[in-house]
C-alpha cells in the first residue's frame, strides 16, 4: 500500500515506481541540463508563481530552508536558491582544519551551471521538460510525495528516527539517490518532522512543478525608491577621497542591513554592496570573504541592490534611510575638518584594523555613527553568520543590559591619540585571515590586550581622577530621543536577541561600551568573521571575545564602589579556570573611586536604578515585563525546577473575544557560575539559579514551543500549572493540554496565526520565524 502511495499515477504508468537511479532517468528523460526558469514577475508564469507558489514556499518551507544553516544549504527563499539546489557540504563545521570555499548565494556563482560545478545538485527536473519528467525528476516534488505516504502520528512525540539536532548528519539526496533515501528513511519527507502541506497547497506545487517550475522575483523597485537610490549612490560614489573613505567606513558597518527608503510598509529592502561598475550601470558584485578584503579592481562603487529573497526574522536588520539620515551622515563624515590624502590599503593586517584604516576620521564621528544605530550594529553579530551554535555564543551571559559611554566624555582628542599610539595592540584575529592556529594566536592577542588595557587605564586614571565624571553622567543619553542608548541582549543557548530598553529583571552583569570596544566587537564578530574559516579562526574569535566582554563589564564595575568591585566580579566568575583568574589579577590598573555616593549594601541594585533614571527619556517600553497582565505575570517568578523544564523561547498566543490574539514570549535564562569554559558549558551551569522572563510581544527568531490559550479560563489554568512542574512528564502533560506540538494536525493553521500576529506586533521588523529549533516533546 505504501509503495502505491509513493508512486504517482503518472510515474506508475511510465516507470512502475517513483524513484529510479540516474541511469534510468537518463534513459527515460535524457541527460541533465540546467534550465532557464526565472521569468518576469508580470509574465503569466511569474504571476502564477508569486500568487500561488511563493506563499506556500514561504510559510511551509522557508521556515526551515532560508539561510546559511538551512539543511543541505537548500535555500527556498528565492528563485535563485531553488534553482541552485542542495549540497552535501556543511557551512557550519566546527572541525574543519582549513578554510573552505564560500558558497554564498548571488556572490560565489553567477548562474546555475556554476553551482553545479561547485557540487550543488538540482531539486527541480533538469532533464527533458515534459510534465511527466518534471515530476519524476524533481527532488522537491518527491519529498512532498514521500511525506504524503508517511504522515506523522497526530499530536505525538516523534521517535528516535527523527533527528532535529543542528549538527545532525544530512542525507541531501540527489534524484538518483532518492530511492535509497525513501527506503531507508521513509519518514524523511518534507516538511521534515512537521505535518505535510494541505491538499490545496500540494496541488499548487504539483501544478507549478509539472509545468516546468517557472519562477519570478518580486516586483522591481518603485520610482520613489529608485530616486532615493540615485541620491544616495551619488553621495557615496563621489571622486573626492574624503567621500570615498567615508563610504568605505559606512559600507563596512551597514553591509548586513536591510535598507528601506519608504516609511509606510515598504515592499522592497536593499543591500548596500560593493560593485565594480559605476552608478547607472548594472551592478557587478565584488565577491570577497569579508567586506574589507581586496576587491581587486581599481575603483569600488557602493550600490544598492534589491534584496529579492523572503525576509527571515533571524537575518532581518532593517535600516531606514531618509532625509534626516542623509543630513546626519553628511554632518558626521563630510562637515568635520580633516583631510584624506590617500585611501588605506586592503592588505589584511591593515584592512582588518579599523583604527589604522580610518584613523583620519574623527573618533567622535565614527562613534556617534555607530551609536545612532547601536541596536543594528550589535544585531550584526546577533543575526550575522557568527551567531549560530552554542560555542559561538557561550562567550556571553543569557541576559544582560548594554549602555554606552557619552561621546563628549570618551570620544575626545586625548582618547583618539591614545588609540593611535596603540593601534597595533588593537589588531584583531581577522588579521590572520581564515586559517589560524588558536593557541599561539590567543597568547599573542592576550599580551596585546594587556598592553592596551594598561594604556587605557592610565588615561582613565587621569580622566576620572578621584571619581570625577565617574557617575551615570558618563552614560550616553541618546540625545534625549534615541532609544538605542539602552539595549538588552538575551542569549538562547545557540541563538540570541538584542532589543531596545532595559528589559526584564535586573541582570547579573551589564556592559558599558566605549568607541574602541564597540568598534572591535563589530570587526571581530561581524566584518572580520568568516563562517567558512577553519576551526582555529573560529576558536580564536571566540577566545578574543572573552577579552572584550571582560572590558565591557569592567567599564560597568568602574561605576560601583571601589571596595565592592572584586567581590561582585568574583560572584560573576565563580569557579573560573586559573588562567582567567590570573588574567583578571594582572589587569587591575584602574584605581579611581566611583563618583556615586551609595546608600545601601546592594550598590549594584542602586546603580541599576540610577541608570534607569538617567536614561528614562529613552528607555523603550515595548517589552516591559511589568506590563504583562495577571495571571501570566506570575511566570516572572517561576521556581527553578519548573524553569529547568522550559525551552529557551516559548511563544504564548492568547485568543481574544474578537478573534484577535495577544502574544507573549517566555524566555528561559540559563544561569552559569561563569562563562569562561569553551567546551564544558554543562559543568559551569548553575541550574538552581535559572530565571525566566515573560514579556509582551515576540522576542527571538527560533521558537522552541508554541502555546495556544483559547479563553481566560485556560490562561488561569496554564499560569497555575506551569509553576507546579517537577519532571518531564509534567511538561508533556501541559503540552497535551495547551501546546501546539510539531505533530499537531493543525500545526500550519496555528503557524499562520503566529506569523499573522507577529506581523501586527513587529511591523517593519517582521520576518518569517525559523522552526529548526522547534522542540519534540
Amino acid at each position: 500500500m505504501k509503495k502505491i502511495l509513493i508512486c504517482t499515477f503518472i510515474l506508475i504508468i511510465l516507470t512502475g515506481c517513483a524513484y529510479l537511479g540516474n541511469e534510468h532517468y537518463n534513459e527515460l528523460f535524457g541527460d541533465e541540463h540546467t534550465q532557464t526558469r526565472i521569468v518576469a514577475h508580470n509574465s503569466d508564469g511569474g504571476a502564477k508563481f508569486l500568487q500561488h507558489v511563493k506563499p506556500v514556499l514561504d510559510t511551509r518551507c522557508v521556515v526551515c530552508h532560508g539561510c546559511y544553516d538551512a539543511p543541505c544549504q537548500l535555500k527556498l527563499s528565492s528563485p535563485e536558491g531553488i534553482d541552485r539546489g542542495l549540497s552535501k557540504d556543511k557551512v557550519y563545521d566546527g572541525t574543519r582544519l582549513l578554510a573552505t570555499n564560500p558558497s554564498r548565494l548571488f556572490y560565489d556563482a553567477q548562474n546555475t551551471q556554476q553551482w553545479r560545478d561547485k557540487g550543488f545538485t538540482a531539486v527541480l527536473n533538469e532533464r527533458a521538460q515534459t510534465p511527466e519528467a518534471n515530476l519524476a525528476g524533481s527532488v522537491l516534488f518527491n519529498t512532498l510525495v514521500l511525506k504524503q505516504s508517511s504522515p506523522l502520528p497526530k499530536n505525538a512525540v516523534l521517535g528516535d528516527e527523527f533527528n532535529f539536532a543542528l549538527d545532525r548528519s544530512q542525507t541531501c539526496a540527489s534524484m538518483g539517490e532518492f530511492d535509497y533515501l525513501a527506503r531507508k528513511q521513509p519518514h524523511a519527507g518534507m516538511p521534515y518532522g512537521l505535518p505535510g502541506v494541505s491538499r490545496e497547497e500540494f496541488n499548487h506545487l504539483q501544478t507549478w512543478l509539472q509545468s516546468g517550475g517557472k519562477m519570478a522575483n518580486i516586483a522591481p523597485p518603485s520610482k520613489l525608491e529608485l530616486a532615493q537610490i540615485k541620491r544616495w549612490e551619488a553621495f557615496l560614489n563621489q571622486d573626492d577621497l574624503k567621500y570615498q573613505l567615508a563610504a568605505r567606513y559606512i559600507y563596512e558597518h551597514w553591509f548586513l542591513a536591510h535598507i528601506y527608503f519608504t516609511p509606510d510598509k515598504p515592499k522592497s529592502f536593499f543591500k548596500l554592496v560593493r560593485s565594480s561598475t559605476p552608478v547607472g550601470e548594472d551592478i557587478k558584485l565584488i565577491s570577497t570573504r569579508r567586506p574589507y578584503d581586496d576587491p581587486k579592481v581599481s575603483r569600488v562603487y557602493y550600490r544598492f541592490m534589491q534584496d529579492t529573497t523572503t525576509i527571515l526574522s533571524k537575518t532581518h536588520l532593517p535600516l531606514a534611510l531618509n532625509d534626516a539620515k542623509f543630513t546626519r551622515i553628511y554632518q558626521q563624515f563630510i562637515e568635520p575638518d580633516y583631510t584624506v590624502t590617500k585611501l588605506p590599503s586592503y592588505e589584511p593586517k591593515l584592512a582588518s584594523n579599523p583604527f589604522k584604516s580610518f584613523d583620519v576620521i574623527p573618533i567622535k564621528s565614527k562613534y556617534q555613527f555607530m551609536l545612532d544605530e547601536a541596536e543594528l550594529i550589535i544585531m550584526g553579530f546577533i543575526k550575522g553568520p557568527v551567531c549560530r551554535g552554542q560555542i559561538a555564543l557561550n562567550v556571553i551571559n543569557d541576559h544582560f543590559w548594554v549602555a554606552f559611554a557619552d561621546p563628549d566624555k570618551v570620544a575626545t582628542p586625548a582618547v583618539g591619540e591614545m588609540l593611535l599610539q596603540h593601534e597595533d595592540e588593537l589588531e584583531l584575529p581577522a588579521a590572520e585571515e581564515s586559517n589560524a592556529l588558536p593557541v599561539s594566536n590567543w597568547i599573542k592577542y592576550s599580551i596585546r590586550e594587556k598592553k592596551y588595557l594598561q594604556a587605557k587605564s592610565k588615561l582613565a586614571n587621569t580622566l576620572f581622577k578621584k571619581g570625577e565624571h565617574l557617575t551615570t553622567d558618563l552614560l550616553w543619553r541618546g540625545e534625549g530621543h534615541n532609544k538605542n542608548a539602552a539595549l538588552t541582549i538575551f542569549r538562547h543557548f545557540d541563538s540570541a536577541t538584542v532589543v531596545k530598553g532595559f528589559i526584564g529583571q535586573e541582570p547579573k552583569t551589564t556592559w558599558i561600551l566605549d568607541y574602541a570596544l564597540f568598534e572591535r566587537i563589530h570587526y571581530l564578530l561581524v566584518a572580520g568573521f568568516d563562517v567558512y574559516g577553519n576551526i582555529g579562526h573560529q576558536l580564536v574569535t571566540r577566545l578574543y571575545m572573552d577579552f572584550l566582554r571582560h572590558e565591557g563589564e569592567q567599564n560597568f564595575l568602574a561605576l560601583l564602589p571601589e571596595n565592592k568591585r572584586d567581590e561582585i566580579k568574583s560572584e560573576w566568575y565563580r569557579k573560573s579556570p586559573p588562567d582567567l583568574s590570573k588574567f583578571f589579577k594582572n589587569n587591575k590598573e584602574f584605581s579611581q573611586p566611583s563618583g556615586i555616593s551609595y546608600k545601601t549594601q546592594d550598590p549594584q541594585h542602586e546603580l541599576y536604578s540610577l541608570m534607569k533614571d538617567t536614561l528614562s527619556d529613552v528607555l523603550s517600553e515595548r517589552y516591559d515585563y511589568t506590563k504583562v497582565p495577571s495571571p501570566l505575570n506570575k511566570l516572572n517568578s517561576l521556581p527553578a525546577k519548573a524553569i529547568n523544564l522550559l525551552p529557551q523561547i516559548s511563544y504564548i498566543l492568547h485568543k481574544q473575544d474578537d478573534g484577535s490574539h495577544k502574544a507573549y514570549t517566555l524566555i528561559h535564562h540559563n544561569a552559569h557560575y561563569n562563562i569562561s569554559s569553551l567546551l564544558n558549558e554543562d559543568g559551569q551551569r548553575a541550574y538552581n539559579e535559572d530565571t525566566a522572563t515573560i514579556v509582551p510581544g515576540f522576542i527571538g527568531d527560533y521558537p522552541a514551543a508554541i502555546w495556544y490559550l483559547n479563553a481566560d479560563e485556560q490562561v488561569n489554568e496554564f499560569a497555575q500549572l506551569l509553576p507546579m512542574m517537577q519532571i518531564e512528564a509534567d511538561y508533556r502533560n501541559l503540552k497535551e493540554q495547551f501546546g501546539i506540538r510539531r505533530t499537531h494536525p493543525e500545526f500550519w493553521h496555528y503557524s499562520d496565526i503566529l506569523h499573522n500576529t507577529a506581523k501586527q506586533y513587529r511591523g517593519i521588523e517582521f520576518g518569517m520565524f525559523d522552526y529548526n529549533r522547534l522542540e519534540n516533546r
Side-chain angles (χ1 to χ4, degrees):
M1 182 64 182
K2 183 177 286 188
K3 184 174 181 180
I4 294 173
L5 285 169
I6 293 177
C7 299
T8 66
F9 76 96
I10 294 173
L11 299 175
I12 292 172
I13 293 171
L14 288 172
T15 68
C17 185
Y19 312 122
L20 302 168
N22 267 342
E23 65 277 8
H24 297 295
Y25 281 112
N26 293 342
E27 185 179 334
L28 281 169
F29 304 123
D31 295 335
E32 291 181 277
H33 300 284
T34 58
Q35 304 293 320
T36 301
R37 301 189 193 278
I38 300 178
V39 298
H41 75 283
N42 53 2
S43 66
D44 183 57
K48 287 179 179 177
F49 173 81
L50 293 172
Q51 182 179 356
H52 298 297
V53 178
K54 180 175 166 56
V56 179
L57 295 174
D58 285 352
T59 58
R60 305 296 183 255
C61 307
V62 171
V63 287
C64 289
H65 288 274
C67 190
Y68 282 101
D69 56 355
C72 302
Q73 295 194 57
L74 177 56
K75 295 181 68 172
L76 300 175
S77 51
S78 70
E80 293 83 359
I82 297 168
D83 212 31
R84 177 178 74 163
L86 50 84
S87 170
K88 297 181 188 298
D89 295 332
K90 285 187 176 182
V91 172
Y92 290 95
D93 183 354
T95 63
R96 67 168 69 100
L97 298 179
L98 295 175
T100 191
N101 292 323
S103 54
R104 297 160 300 176
L105 196 61
F106 304 111
Y107 284 87
D108 298 313
Q110 302 308 311
N111 56 55
T112 305
Q113 185 55 53
Q114 290 179 6
W115 287 119
R116 295 291 170 269
D117 295 340
K118 289 176 179 287
F120 280 76
T121 58
V123 295
L124 304 183
N125 173 48
E126 293 190 338
R127 293 178 173 82
Q129 294 296 292
T130 65
E132 297 82 9
N134 286 336
L135 295 184
S138 167
V139 171
L140 182 58
F141 177 71
N142 282 282
T143 59
L144 295 169
V145 174
L146 185 59
K147 168 65 72 172
Q148 302 296 323
S149 72
S150 296
L152 299 181
K154 292 184 178 180
N155 214 26
V157 176
L158 296 173
D160 293 340
E161 68 273 19
F162 286 91
N163 186 351
F164 299 110
L166 293 180
D167 60 351
R168 66 184 183 269
S169 59
Q170 298 172 4
T171 306
C172 308
S174 66
M175 201 58 241
E177 301 162 331
F178 203 87
D179 178 44
Y180 181 82
L181 171 69
R183 284 187 284 109
K184 294 294 184 181
Q185 300 182 49
H187 60 281
M190 297 295 156
Y192 181 74
L194 290 165
V197 298
S198 70
R199 173 53 57 188
E200 181 182 8
E201 292 164 343
F202 184 91
N203 288 340
H204 283 314
L205 295 175
Q206 177 172 294
T207 301
W208 164 61
L209 292 167
Q210 197 169 15
S211 60
K214 298 299 183 184
M215 297 175 282
N217 281 305
I218 59 175
S222 67
K223 289 182 179 179
L224 175 61
E225 289 168 330
L226 290 173
Q228 289 298 315
I229 287 171
K230 183 177 180 181
R231 179 192 189 198
W232 278 90
E233 287 188 346
F235 175 80
L236 293 171
N237 292 290
Q238 296 195 34
D239 292 333
D240 187 289
L241 294 184
K242 191 175 189 180
Y243 280 87
Q244 288 191 50
L245 184 65
R248 176 169 164 179
Y249 184 82
I250 291 167
Y251 165 73
E252 289 182 15
H253 290 77
W254 282 0
F255 70 97
L256 288 179
H258 271 140
I259 292 165
Y260 62 99
F261 300 99
T262 53
D264 298 324
K265 298 182 179 179
K267 295 191 183 328
S268 291
F269 291 93
F270 300 84
K271 306 287 281 190
L272 183 58
V273 300
R274 295 197 298 180
S275 173
S276 60
T277 51
V279 177
E281 296 183 18
D282 289 343
I283 292 172
K284 187 175 180 180
L285 287 173
I286 294 171
S287 176
T288 58
R289 286 178 179 268
R290 297 177 175 86
Y292 53 70
D293 283 347
D294 189 349
K296 297 185 174 14
V297 295
S298 59
R299 173 76 186 269
V300 172
Y301 297 93
Y302 298 96
R303 309 285 303 278
F304 291 92
M305 180 178 74
Q306 185 183 24
D307 187 348
T308 56
T309 65
T310 303
I311 299 300
L312 311 174
S313 178
K314 63 182 177 181
T315 56
H316 190 34
L317 291 79
L319 170 65
L321 295 191
N322 48 36
D323 290 346
K325 178 63 75 175
F326 191 93
T327 301
R328 181 73 161 176
I329 294 295
Y330 184 89
Q331 292 170 342
Q332 288 169 337
F333 291 103
I334 307 304
E335 272 189 3
D337 184 17
Y338 66 96
T339 302
V340 181
T341 58
K342 182 182 178 182
L343 293 176
S345 137
Y346 287 103
E347 189 274 324
K349 285 191 177 297
L350 176 65
S352 64
N353 188 334
F355 305 101
K356 289 186 176 182
S357 297
F358 305 105
D359 58 348
V360 300
I361 301 178
I363 179 176
K364 190 172 182 179
S365 294
K366 293 180 288 190
Y367 187 32
Q368 189 63 67
F369 167 78
M370 296 180 76
L371 290 177
D372 285 350
E373 304 291 346
E375 182 189 34
L376 176 89
I377 300 297
I378 289 182
M379 207 180 284
F381 89 79
I382 296 293
K383 295 194 174 190
V386 67
C387 218
R388 155 47 157 94
Q390 169 260 346
I391 290 179
L393 284 165
N394 68 7
V395 72
I396 61 174
N397 280 291
D398 267 45
H399 173 214
F400 60 98
W401 294 344
V402 179
F404 302 89
D406 187 345
D408 290 334
K409 297 180 176 65
V410 301
T412 62
V415 174
E417 183 62 29
M418 185 271 291
L419 294 178
L420 281 175
Q421 292 174 3
H422 296 276
E423 57 188 16
D424 287 336
E425 278 78 58
L426 295 170
E427 183 179 287
L428 293 159
E432 314 295 333
E433 300 186 75
S434 297
N435 289 298
L437 298 173
V439 177
S440 60
N441 278 300
W442 184 86
I443 294 171
K444 176 177 72 175
Y445 289 115
S446 67
I447 293 171
R448 290 179 176 177
E449 175 71 3
K450 181 179 179 180
K451 288 181 179 178
Y452 167 69
L453 289 179
Q454 288 172 340
K456 177 183 176 180
S457 296
K458 183 179 179 181
L459 178 60
N461 281 326
T462 301
L463 295 176
F464 304 114
K465 193 171 183 178
K466 296 182 180 179
E468 186 179 5
H469 304 306
L470 207 53
T471 67
T472 53
D473 287 342
L474 178 67
L475 302 180
W476 178 56
R477 303 187 187 200
E479 301 174 24
H481 64 85
N482 192 331
K483 295 187 177 182
N484 282 281
L487 305 175
T488 298
I489 294 178
F490 297 101
R491 175 195 168 194
H492 318 297
F493 187 66
D494 54 13
S495 67
T497 307
V498 57
V499 294
K500 294 185 179 76
F502 288 155
I503 308 303
Q505 303 91 328
E506 292 179 357
K508 182 171 79 171
T509 67
T510 286
W511 296 356
I512 296 178
L513 303 186
D514 54 40
Y515 164 67
L517 181 53
F518 202 7
E519 193 78 277
R520 280 181 293 157
I521 288 174
H522 176 73
Y523 274 84
L524 176 74
L525 299 179
V526 185
F529 183 78
D530 179 14
V531 70
Y532 300 94
N534 77 335
I535 184 174
H537 166 70
Q538 297 182 39
L539 289 178
V540 172
T541 298
R542 187 260 180 240
L543 292 168
Y544 192 93
M545 187 58 202
D546 268 331
F547 303 146
L548 303 188
R549 184 196 67 248
H550 170 246
E551 195 175 332
E553 292 171 346
Q554 282 295 112
N555 290 344
F556 172 72
L557 286 168
L559 296 178
L560 291 165
E562 192 174 7
N563 63 349
K564 288 282 188 178
R565 293 170 189 167
D566 285 345
E567 176 187 332
I568 291 171
K569 184 192 278 189
S570 295
E571 177 65 19
W572 295 351
Y573 288 94
R574 290 171 288 165
K575 303 182 181 182
S576 288
D579 57 341
L580 186 67
S581 300
K582 183 179 179 181
F583 180 82
F584 288 160
K585 287 180 181 178
N586 292 339
N587 291 282
K588 292 174 62 176
E589 306 288 337
F590 183 71
S591 58
Q592 300 306 312
S594 172
I596 300 171
S597 298
Y598 289 96
K599 300 178 174 60
T600 71
Q601 294 302 305
D602 189 358
Q604 187 169 347
H605 170 68
E606 278 190 75
L607 179 55
Y608 281 146
S609 297
L610 290 170
M611 290 174 68
K612 284 185 171 182
D613 288 343
T614 300
L615 301 177
S616 58
D617 289 342
V618 291
L619 285 182
S620 172
E621 298 182 351
R622 179 179 179 184
Y623 297 108
D624 187 348
Y625 79 118
T626 65
K627 292 186 175 180
V628 175
S630 179
L632 290 177
N633 60 357
K634 296 176 183 177
L635 303 184
N636 283 305
S637 54
L638 286 170
K641 268 199 171 183
I643 296 172
N644 292 158
L645 291 166
L646 292 174
Q648 296 298 297
I649 298 177
S650 303
Y651 289 156
I652 301 171
L653 295 172
H654 178 201
K655 187 176 182 181
Q656 305 298 294
D657 291 339
D658 63 359
S660 64
H661 294 82
K662 287 188 176 180
Y664 306 92
T665 303
L666 180 59
I667 310 167
H668 175 179
H669 310 304
N670 291 353
H672 300 82
Y673 297 116
N674 68 78
I675 49 171
S676 306
S677 177
L678 180 62
L679 299 173
N680 184 32
E681 178 158 4
D682 280 346
Q684 303 302 329
R685 284 281 280 113
Y687 291 95
N688 291 334
E689 300 173 21
D690 282 10
T691 57
T693 303
I694 184 170
V695 299
F698 296 92
I699 281 181
D701 310 307
Y702 301 86
I706 302 170
W707 304 91
Y708 192 85
L709 309 177
N710 248 316
D712 290 340
E713 293 77 17
Q714 286 194 330
V715 173
N716 292 328
E717 189 176 2
F718 178 75
Q720 182 181 1
L721 293 175
L722 197 66
M724 297 168 62
M725 295 189 303
Q726 298 282 316
I727 58 176
E728 178 67 17
D730 296 334
Y731 183 83
R732 290 195 177 189
N733 288 337
L734 204 64
K735 206 72 182 285
E736 289 279 354
Q737 280 186 266
F738 307 110
I740 306 299
R741 282 198 175 108
R742 55 167 56 246
T743 54
H744 195 292
E746 293 188 71
F747 176 85
W748 293 117
H749 167 70
Y750 290 105
S751 175
D752 291 340
I753 292 175
L754 181 73
H755 281 101
N756 289 332
T757 306
K759 280 182 186 177
Q760 301 302 316
Y761 273 84
R762 287 191 160 181
I764 194 70
E765 297 172 7
F766 172 77
M768 301 300 298
F769 293 125
D770 188 289
Y771 287 159
N772 278 297
R773 290 165 176 80
L774 202 62
E775 67 182 6
N776 176 38
R777 297 169 67 192

